[in-house]
Amino acid sequence: MQHPVLEIDRITKRFGPLVANDAISLSLARGEILGLLGENGAGKTTLMNILFGHYVADEGEIRVDGKVLPPGEPRAALAAGIGMVHQHFTLADNLTVIDNIVLGTESLWRWKSNLSSARARIRQLAEDYGLAVAPDAQVSSLSVGERQRVEILKALYRNARILILDEPTAVLTPQESAALFETLKRFVAKGLSIIFISHKLGEIMDACSRVAILRGGKLVAERKVSDVTRAELAELMVGRPIPKPKAEPQSPGNMVLSLEKASARRGSQALHNISLEVLGGEVIGIAGVSGNGQSLLADCISGTWALSAGSLVVDGQTSRASPRAMVEQGVARIPEDRHTEGMIGDMSITENAVAERYRSSAFSSRGLVDWRKARVFAESIISKYDVKCPGPEARVRLLSGGNMQKLILGRVMAHDPKLILANQPTRGLDVGAVAYVHEQLLAARKRGAGILLISEDLDELLALSDKVAVMFKGELSAPMQRQTVTISSLGLLMAGQGFSHAA
Amino acid sequence: MEAFEILFTASLWAAAVRIASPLIFGTLGELICERAGVLNLGIEGIMTAGAFSGWLAVYLGGDLWLGVAVAALVGACLGLLHGFMVVPLGLSQHVTGIGITLLATALSYYFYRIAFPEVTSPPKIEPFAVFPVPGLADLPIIGPALFQQTPLTYLAFIAVALVAWFLYRTPAGLAVRTVGENPAAAEAQGINVVTVRILAVMAGSALMGIGGSFITLSAFNSFFFEMTNGRGWICIALVVFAAWQPGKALLGAILFGLFDAYQLRLQQLAGSVVPYQVFLMLPFVLSVVALIVMSRRVAYPRALMVPYRKGER
């Protein structure tokens, strides 16, 4: 083996009682794509943040070309040729592409930026590496895929030789992902080394030559991609075999949700004459390309937006547009965006656990919140749903996506809901967490809850749903029995075929 | 009809620019702070401190330009205090800023009382004289308005160009804009967010200090209480009006100056019929209206008033 360009040597990092990285050692060779696989919370991002100098490791050191990298200095990491493409892009939206790329590459004491030579260089790099982007465009006007290209260009502009991509495909369409993999192959052909962080097995198999698997902060295995199967990787990552979700046939119960000729409008989004029924013990799946009114539908059922016409009946009661009333009527809401709607990041697990029901007699008396009861409730969720966290007082922001979702599940399932509104419940989660969410939803179905599952993941819809309907431009198709639909027939409906307002 | 004719008098436009001068400095100063993501409500006090300290330096025998430099230095020191509290410590920018205003104003009055315990009429200095720009000063209206002013007013114009150049053409200006937009992005590119923010607040506060010194070294020739008279607050609004752009800040300040100069003349004209308070109110009402019209679709600095903590998601 060649001399490695990057060596990570027994790195350990603790956050309070939590050991995020436990003596991890890795090396990266020139011209290699190393996959870093692990569930959310396994410590991948922490490790990369240490590498890039955002965090300082408690123990261990990092060497680039044999030289020790000073800890805690992004500038030193940049100078050593490490470029990082963060999962959440670090771009200033109101600035241009060129501003974002040039930032920090020129001495701050120069009286004038040399933007014309920067522009020429960006064009050259874009051409060499196949990363088309307009240098003078505002970042806010770019698509997600283009923004990612800007992030990569930022690293290349600084002559990065080691590129770290943190969950690069999380925000990309399948086509954009495929294009990205092609680009990465070009990079390694030119001698760059890449660390590709992901929890998606398929991508690791497609893009990488070698894979390192993290679990619970420890490096559990390193494999050549050619030597392993997906199933083996999944098991290494989660630590146990992954069961396939299986919905047992059962007879449905009473009507828990009924929408009749419901219409609503919010900005450019609209619902037109939607009729839908969900029975207890039944999963109704809603498919559709994102932005066809699914969010608005979910918000109407959550009570955060009002219907302009039609009726909404939950468990026999006509509903008004009030989120609190909806919760009281037994609607369990798993919102689309955990971070903005599901949880309050700067508040504690306990506070978030009772956020929907702190007024109920379970958690308050005479207008005062009973924090002891709230804490007991939070602790019960933590243990029952295996939420990995330092304790009930920990701020929710510090939880990984999967753990946050478990907390949301725990919060809404505890009150034996009649209707579960699950909007993209597994988006951004890793294999283990996805399986867990599926398991919980099916368990609730078995208990007799009706579930409205909105998802862009067709495999998920077909695995869980009893019936599937498709949304297109605010209209909803008639629900179809799962056995009668295929991915391709859904695909046609999702493209608008068979809808009256089809464009 | 007379009210309309006033608009074509040279003295009105000259007064508008004169009134605008301290506002130009103050608005530029606030603009730099806010571009770096820091709201500086200390501006009112910093202007008062600049007015007092600059005047005192001249009264004690210093050159007028030394007075301006002292005002800038005092402003920068107060900016350092504000920056230290809100950037590394992450304290509330509102509360800290108001605290700075109260502190700086009180200290100015205090030292004034210490220095001049028994005065009946405020001591005077020889202020900046009008310096007509040769060749241009004789142009109709434009001449008196733009080229028959004191050197500090010319400095205000130059400052607009310099600040615009700094923000849009220099690497340091880009760093300032980025820490105000997305500090994490700046950090990822090796920029020290804390340093850039503190330096930006200091530089902006120095400009506020100079703006204050205009009041005592150019507009008047002495220092008295309440003389800043809300100019700092006007600057805060002007920054929004200007959509955080130096060129529009100049425009906004002159527009406000024009309203103010105009209402003074209207008072003399119609003061007997309409209570003069109505005219006093006029520039503020028009500012509010202009603010509403201009700032509807403004791209404000995204990280304004958001403290940055390293390594936090």
Side-chain angles (χ1 to χ4, degrees), chain A residues 43-167:
Chain A
K44 302 172 306 237
T45 302
T46 304
L47 184 62
M48 292 305 118
N49 277 329
I50 290 169
L51 181 53
F52 197 68
H54 285 315
Y55 297 155
V56 179
D58 297 323
E59 287 159 36
E61 64 180 24
I62 291 161
R63 290 185 294 275
V64 179
D65 289 330
K67 273 180 282 196
V68 176
L69 195 67
E73 288 178 32
R75 196 186 286 269
L78 288 166
I82 299 175
M84 182 140 174
V85 176
H86 293 266
Q87 180 180 2
H88 305 288
F89 299 148
T90 54
L91 296 172
D93 288 356
N94 283 342
L95 304 184
T96 63
V97 170
I98 195 165
D99 281 346
N100 271 285
I101 293 175
V102 169
L103 174 70
T105 62
E106 295 179 299
S107 161
L108 291 184
W109 302 109
R110 286 179 57 134
W111 68 282
K112 187 177 186 303
S113 294
N114 196 343
L115 286 186
S116 56
S117 75
R119 190 175 290 120
R121 176 126 188 272
I122 291 167
R123 288 231 167 84
Q124 188 62 46
L125 284 171
E127 196 173 309
D128 288 353
Y129 290 96
L131 295 162
V133 67
D136 290 297
Q138 281 244 320
V139 167
S140 54
S141 70
L142 301 183
S143 72
V144 173
E146 285 172 311
R147 285 178 202 210
Q148 186 168 60
R149 274 178 244 154
V150 177
E151 283 279 9
I152 296 173
L153 278 170
K154 260 163 75 174
L156 295 177
Y157 189 83
R158 289 170 174 266
N159 301 313
R161 292 167 301 119
I162 301 163
L163 202 58
I164 303 164
L165 300 162
D166 189 2
E167 305 273 358

Side-chain angles (χ1 to χ4, degrees), chain B residues 188-266:
Chain B
Q189 294 281 69
I191 303 274
N192 187 325
V193 175
V194 171
T195 311
V196 170
R197 281 193 166 172
I198 288 191
L199 289 177
V201 174
M202 287 177 70
S205 302
L207 281 173
M208 296 170 190
I210 297 177
S213 77
F214 180 94
I215 307 170
T216 46
L217 302 183
S218 193
F220 300 96
N221 56 3
S222 54
F223 177 84
F224 46 89
F225 291 177
E226 311 291 345
M227 83 185 303
T228 310
N229 196 18
R231 284 183 178 84
W233 309 136
I234 295 291
C235 292
I236 303 264
L238 283 175
V239 172
V240 182
F241 174 84
W244 289 269
Q245 293 167 19
K248 287 190 188 165
L250 175 67
L251 190 77
I254 291 180
L255 200 62
F256 183 86
L258 183 67
F259 292 153
D260 205 22
Y262 191 52
Q263 68 88 10
L264 280 170
R265 282 155 182 78
L266 282 184

Side-chain angles (χ1 to χ4, degrees), chain A residues 298-306 312 320-324 326 333:
Chain A
D299 286 349
C300 289
I301 298 171
S302 314
T304 54
W305 196 261
L312 169 61
R320 57 201 170 87
S322 151
R324 195 195 305 161
M326 283 301 191
R333 304 172 302 168

Side-chain angles (χ1 to χ4, degrees), chain B residues 112-202:
Chain B
Y112 181 78
R113 275 283 175 247
I114 295 278
F116 308 98
E118 290 168 49
V119 286
T120 44
S121 63
K124 291 183 168 49
I125 56 150
E126 190 57 44
F128 278 106
V130 169
F131 175 81
V133 178
L136 299 169
D138 298 328
L139 294 172
I141 298 198
I142 298 174
L146 298 181
F147 303 110
Q148 287 181 33
Q149 299 284 357
T150 66
L152 266 189
T153 298
Y154 303 137
L155 184 66
F157 292 145
I158 296 167
V160 173
L162 286 181
V163 169
W165 177 277
F166 169 78
L167 282 177
Y168 296 110
R169 295 291 167 85
T170 67
L174 177 58
V176 167
R177 284 187 287 140
T178 314
V179 299
E181 285 289 336
N182 184 347
E187 178 88 39
Q189 294 281 69
I191 303 274
N192 187 325
V193 175
V194 171
T195 311
V196 170
R197 281 193 166 172
I198 288 191
L199 289 177
V201 174
M202 287 177 70

Side-chain angles (χ1 to χ4, degrees), chain B residues 4-84:
Chain B
F4 188 67
E5 280 161 13
I6 293 174
L7 285 172
F8 299 99
T9 58
S11 76
L12 172 83
W13 290 90
V17 172
R18 192 166 59 240
I19 293 166
S21 300
L23 301 178
I24 296 171
F25 284 116
T27 308
L28 288 175
E30 185 66 32
L31 187 148
I32 292 176
C33 296
E34 293 190 16
R35 273 291 176 124
V38 179
L39 178 73
N40 190 350
L41 291 183
I43 182 169
E44 179 79 7
I46 293 172
M47 287 181 84
T48 305
F52 171 69
S53 60
W55 172 83
L56 187 69
V58 176
Y59 182 79
L60 295 177
D63 183 71
L64 282 165
W65 289 108
L66 179 76
V68 175
V70 165
L73 189 70
V74 166
C77 289
L78 289 164
L80 176 64
L81 180 63
H82 183 63
F84 174 71

